[in-house]
Amino acid sequence: MIIKEKHLLEGTGVVYRESPNHGGSFGPGLPDTIIIHFTAGESAQASVDWLCNPKSKASAHLVIGRDGSITQLVPFDRIAWHAGKSAYQERVGFNKYAIGIEIDNAGRLRKSGSQYTAWFGKAYPEEEVVEAVHRNESQTSYWHRYTNEQIAIVRDICSLLVDTYPISSILGHEEIAPGRKVDPGPAFPLDELREVVLHPNKADEGPLASRLG
Ligand SMILES: [Zn+2]
């Protein structure tokens, strides 16, 4: 996988489908941040369709399918619309600072009996469910599991982006819009991803590297 001219990803399993939902170019020294999201959707295709629909007024640079397939919607040098109202440290409005990666995942699930159900009504089997405490909450709840393919490809993409753009931080949507957003949630190894991608030499030695495969 490489980033070619015009700020587009090229490689096996990568498709480009341009979304009309984007702003202009990033300012000098930007993008310097990656924001990780889940789609809270039923399929990558449904999420791609929505993020390419002018009515959604939303987009992301990439959507990652359950099988690790990648759809790019906006070139990496353009501002996509994924962060919404957001703030972290001294900054507000993260779209102008950040590349957005959406991962196909149903999000928080509701347990009733032996069923785990997404907000859109689809049920998921127990092996696709993670019970964990969200970083912004104090009690456990149920979350749709990410696939190993997704975790591995997000790590590879983040490393590639760090090598290509002046990226110095990776944040979850839940960290720049706490109270409003819970993605990517506790099923995603966000702290480990930061460690492996932003401090690779340190992480090479430890067990985290093997967890992220
Ligand atoms: Zn999000």
Side-chain angles (χ1 to χ4, degrees), residues 63-194:
V63 176
I64 313 299
R66 305 285 298 167
D67 60 357
S69 62
I70 302 163
T71 306
Q72 182 162 6
L73 308 180
V74 178
F76 295 125
D77 64 334
R78 303 263 149 185
I79 293 171
W81 300 341
H82 51 97
K85 190 170 159 32
S86 48
Y88 189 80
Q89 295 175 346
E90 291 88 59
R91 288 175 159 182
V92 295
F94 267 74
N95 286 339
K96 61 183 175 291
Y97 301 114
I99 288 172
I101 301 178
E102 289 276 1
I103 310 171
D104 177 25
N105 179 286
R108 198 197 299 266
L109 304 174
R110 206 184 60 240
K111 187 179 186 186
S112 61
S114 60
Q115 293 266 77
Y116 299 87
T117 314
W119 69 272
F120 45 85
K122 185 173 170 186
Y124 291 86
E126 194 158 18
E127 59 266 25
E128 280 193 56
V129 180
V130 175
E131 183 178 0
V133 182
H134 193 282
R135 71 175 73 235
N136 299 341
E137 300 173 358
S138 55
Q139 298 197 333
T140 63
S141 53
Y142 303 100
W143 302 85
H144 190 200
R145 188 179 292 281
Y146 292 87
T147 67
N148 293 335
E149 287 81 0
Q150 287 177 312
I151 292 169
I153 206 78
V154 169
R155 178 205 54 203
D156 290 352
I157 290 167
C158 287
S159 295
L160 188 58
L161 290 171
V162 164
D163 289 344
T164 312
Y165 300 100
I167 305 285
S168 56
S169 62
I170 300 174
L171 295 169
H173 204 186
E174 68 203 24
E175 295 173 297
I176 62 166
R180 193 172 71 82
K181 292 291 176 181
V182 295
D183 59 316
F188 188 80
L190 183 58
D191 295 320
E192 290 90 335
L193 176 72
R194 276 194 272 259

